[in-house]
Amino acid sequence: MGALVTLDLPEDSPMLGLPWIITFGPLGDADEWEPVVCGPYERPHALALAEAVVAEEQLMAVVEPLLPAVSAEEIRGEIAAAQIAAEDEVARVDDADLYGDYEDTIDEELEAAAAEDHLEPLPPPSEAELRAGFGRIAERLTGRTD
């Protein structure tokens, strides 16, 4: 069984309505291959597909929203935000070293999450369901409301 990572969002988050992508990659450092990116999908479809794949494979699946940027400035803003977040993460790791081994904390959290009872993965959506979702995504991205 692999691992699935996604954002924990409130039910009213506007991000839930965005298209979502799945990035599949190796679960450990022993495997080295280029990640595979699939999508865009509607969030429930992305989660169900990712669950179906990692349920039987030793893979990591990251399900995340696809942020459709409409200008170079928007993209630059997203890049700047990611860089600031990375700097903040480095600072948090450095601060954590003062109080113990940060990696041990992460390992303990992952082990606790793995020990929880997991429900059966949702069945993956059918090709027809995915194609209908693609149509809804295209309508949202183009602003069409036929």
Side-chain angles (χ1 to χ4, degrees), residues 28-121:
D29 292 335
D31 291 334
E32 287 193 29
W33 45 275
E34 290 296 317
V36 175
V37 180
C38 303
Y41 304 104
E42 292 175 309
R43 187 172 192 264
H45 289 166
L47 290 170
L49 284 170
E51 285 180 5
V53 172
V54 301
E56 299 176 14
E57 303 278 340
Q58 288 292 320
L59 302 171
M60 167 81 70
V62 178
V63 177
E64 59 191 334
L66 180 63
L67 304 173
V70 294
S71 72
E73 276 310 306
E74 268 190 77
I75 294 169
R76 287 184 188 103
E78 291 297 325
I79 291 168
Q83 290 169 333
I84 290 168
E87 290 170 4
D88 290 348
E89 180 68 18
V90 168
R92 280 196 317 216
V93 169
D94 289 345
D95 289 345
D97 287 344
L98 295 174
Y99 302 104
D101 190 352
Y102 180 75
E103 294 300 323
D104 286 346
T105 304
I106 297 298
D107 290 342
E108 290 168 9
E109 290 173 2
L110 289 174
E111 287 173 15
E116 294 175 5
D117 291 335
H118 292 286
L119 301 174
E120 284 294 311

